[in-house]
Amino acid sequence: MEVWGFRDVALWISFLTGFTMASYSEDQCSWRGSGLSQAVKNVEQVWLRCAEGSVEWLYPAGALRLTLSPRLQWSAMGPGESSRSPVSACIKPDQHWGGAQLYLERDGVLELLVGDETSEPSGPAHVRCFSAMPGERPALFLQATPHQDISRRIAAFHYELRGDWTAQPSVNTDPISSEGVCRPCNNTEILMAVCTSDFVVRGNIRSVDTDSHLKAAVIKVSATRVFRQKFALFPESGRLTRSGEIRTALLCGVRPGAGSFLFTGRVHFGEAWLGCAPRYKDFLKVYEQAKQSLTIPCTLIND
């Protein structure tokens, strides 16, 4: 990891104060611009006001300072343990990233998130994640690297902010932290997952493959009932059938097995990641007991 010292940052911030300009994207979620219209010594200030979006910088020149300042309260981004729980921010660089370096700016130090293609010949390979406490406004510093030919260079990435993932205090390369990811959910967690997950699906495991790029297991699911889904994660694959893929950490050792499960989880950069996945008969038992005791946090559609 490359780290700039306080003196370097202080000098750079002093430089910024004389050469900055503010910019908002049209929807304040994403930004797209060109270095061709930007002075080489200019640093453009960009404010991103959403929990997810994208940045695309064509022909990078000069620098951008991107402040992540969503309109929603941090605690509204997911079912975190409390309003004082850290928020996870993840960056997914475009496969053809080039012409710039991306840093996380925090506490007077710049930490390298994504290097230029010249220093990473294979191109950006991983999602980068970091944590932020409620009230913080994480800033990303995007600096163009000098090249004689900038015509084919584009620095682009997607970002997500969520309050229900556990990120390491500093930069890591895991899409979702593996801490506790293989631990079975207790009854309370199962019921909350039904209420708060991006997808809730009843189905069977057809097969399990390996995504070596993400070091993840890919569970291929035949869905018999889709209670809820964010985006078209489980599209129709035939008459009255739906299928989709769910990822989880490879270290969990998921294997194909008989029986029906209730799959829940989160969408991460357009991909489904597994949360709680009890056998469906076990879920029904917990669900009915909670209904009878009036402790159920929510009900399924057409219950």
Side-chain angles (χ1 to χ4, degrees):
M1 178 187 302
E2 182 178 333
V3 178
W4 284 17
F6 179 81
R7 181 181 178 184
D8 296 323
V9 175
L11 290 172
W12 186 246
I13 291 177
S14 176
F15 174 82
L16 299 187
T17 58
F19 298 94
T20 59
M21 56 185 295
S23 173
Y24 288 87
S25 61
E26 184 176 346
D27 61 4
Q28 297 190 13
C29 298
S30 300
W31 181 90
R32 187 175 190 267
S34 171
L36 296 179
S37 60
Q38 185 173 350
V40 175
K41 293 185 178 181
N42 187 52
V43 178
E44 185 168 350
Q45 299 279 355
V46 179
W47 291 75
L48 299 171
R49 297 293 194 180
C50 300
E52 58 184 79
S54 63
V55 171
E56 185 178 21
W57 197 19
L58 309 175
Y59 323 122
L64 300 175
R65 187 176 186 272
L66 310 162
T67 301
L68 305 179
S69 183
R71 289 182 292 264
L72 292 176
Q73 295 294 323
W74 292 109
S75 57
M77 294 179 194
E81 294 181 1
S82 71
S83 61
R84 305 180 67 179
S85 299
V87 173
S88 296
C90 289
I91 305 296
K92 184 178 182 180
D94 184 78
Q95 182 180 359
H96 303 293
W97 171 284
Q101 292 182 315
L102 180 65
Y103 295 87
L104 167 65
E105 178 189 319
R106 180 163 53 188
D107 298 330
V109 176
L110 297 181
E111 299 177 69
L112 182 65
L113 292 175
V114 184
D116 191 6
E117 61 182 2
T118 56
S119 58
E120 296 184 7
S122 61
H126 299 287
V127 171
R128 273 70 169 177
C129 297
F130 56 90
S131 62
M133 295 303 296
E136 282 189 272
R137 290 181 176 178
L140 302 173
F141 186 75
L142 190 57
Q143 183 181 27
T145 50
H147 293 281
Q148 291 183 346
D149 178 17
I150 65 172
S151 61
R152 297 184 179 180
R153 302 185 188 277
I154 300 175
F157 65 87
H158 287 79
Y159 71 89
E160 289 184 353
L161 305 176
R162 296 295 287 265
D164 52 348
W165 298 330
T166 301
Q168 300 299 321
S170 190
V171 177
N172 68 70
T173 57
D174 295 326
I176 297 179
S177 173
S178 59
E179 181 180 352
V181 70
C182 302
R183 178 183 59 83
C185 295
N186 59 38
N187 291 349
T188 301
E189 291 169 333
I190 291 173
L191 293 174
M192 285 304 299
V194 170
C195 303
T196 61
S197 293
D198 290 335
F199 61 90
V200 180
V201 175
R202 179 185 180 182
N204 308 304
I205 300 177
R206 297 198 334 263
S207 62
V208 179
D209 295 335
T210 299
D211 185 333
S212 57
H213 177 69
L214 293 177
K215 297 181 180 179
V218 182
I219 307 168
K220 296 185 181 296
V221 174
S222 292
T224 56
R225 179 74 181 277
V226 177
F227 293 100
R228 181 168 66 254
Q229 63 175 332
K230 183 179 181 180
F231 311 120
L233 299 172
F234 298 88
E236 293 185 3
S237 57
R239 186 178 180 183
L240 302 179
T241 62
R242 291 178 178 267
S243 61
E245 296 180 351
I246 304 174
R247 285 163 171 75
T248 191
L250 196 59
L251 57 86
C252 294
V254 177
R255 297 287 185 272
S260 180
F261 295 83
L262 185 73
F263 298 100
T264 68
R266 292 292 174 193
V267 176
H268 188 48
F269 292 116
E271 296 174 335
W273 285 80
L274 187 64
C276 297
R279 289 190 176 274
Y280 192 71
K281 63 178 182 180
D282 296 332
F283 160 73
L284 285 180
K285 181 178 179 180
V286 172
Y287 185 74
E288 290 301 326
Q289 289 176 346
K291 284 181 62 177
Q292 293 177 12
S293 61
L294 302 179
T295 58
I296 191 168
C298 67
T299 58
L300 289 177
I301 299 175
N302 296 329
D303 175 34

